[in-house]
Amino acid sequence: MTFTTDPLPDLPARIVALGGEGLGAPEIAAALGLGVRELEGMARGDAAVELALDRAEAAAMAWWAGLPRQAMAAKARFAWASWRRGLAWRTEAAGHAPRARSAAAAERAPPLARINLPCNGRSRPLPDGTCPQCGKRHRRRR
């Protein structure tokens, strides 16, 4: 029987595998039974662990980016708003700044057409008795 002195054998491969499941650094540390500071200390002391954490972050982002495609392939319903909030939270927690919008995209384009729908006289009147759509006073039908 042989004993290893390394308490976590094959640590870099395990870190990358956990990142491939979409886990971030705190979740990887918890899955390995370590604290976040302990894992960061290991990364500072070992270049292989630091590289593995970098690859795990890339694998986690690829996992998150692949979720919509997998849902479309499975013809399943996908919660886009929750996914975007989760992805934004992950990128901000990892220290990535949100992507800057261009000046042209920041300015709102004017509407292509403006459509005025005529009043049908059935809208609930404002407190002063006028119609909120046309400003006239309509007779109330009983």
Side-chain angles (χ1 to χ4, degrees):
M1 182 185 284
T2 59
F3 294 101
T4 61
T5 57
D6 186 8
L8 296 169
D10 201 24
L11 182 63
R14 289 177 63 192
I15 289 173
V16 174
L18 289 169
E21 295 174 11
L23 303 181
E27 296 164 315
I28 291 172
L32 295 173
L34 302 170
V36 176
R37 290 189 191 123
E38 191 176 0
L39 185 61
E40 289 172 354
M42 293 173 86
R44 281 191 296 269
D46 188 0
V49 174
E50 184 177 7
L51 180 63
L53 280 172
D54 189 43
R55 289 181 177 169
E57 183 181 342
M61 291 307 292
W63 183 86
W64 276 89
L67 286 177
R69 180 181 35 78
Q70 292 172 1
M72 286 178 57
K75 296 185 179 179
R77 186 177 172 149
F78 190 74
W80 285 98
S82 299
W83 174 80
R84 288 185 65 194
R85 281 191 300 265
L87 193 59
W89 176 81
R90 283 205 175 265
T91 54
E92 290 170 9
H96 300 292
R99 186 172 54 173
R101 295 178 61 182
S102 67
E107 294 179 14
R108 292 195 147 216
L112 299 177
R114 183 167 294 216
I115 300 172
N116 258 343
L117 296 176
C119 175
N120 64 6
R122 295 184 179 193
S123 300
R124 174 176 277 169
L126 295 173
D128 65 354
T130 59
C131 175
Q133 293 178 353
C134 65
K136 296 179 183 177
R137 290 182 182 266
H138 300 292
R139 289 187 313 180
R140 297 193 95 185
R141 296 179 187 174
R142 296 188 190 228

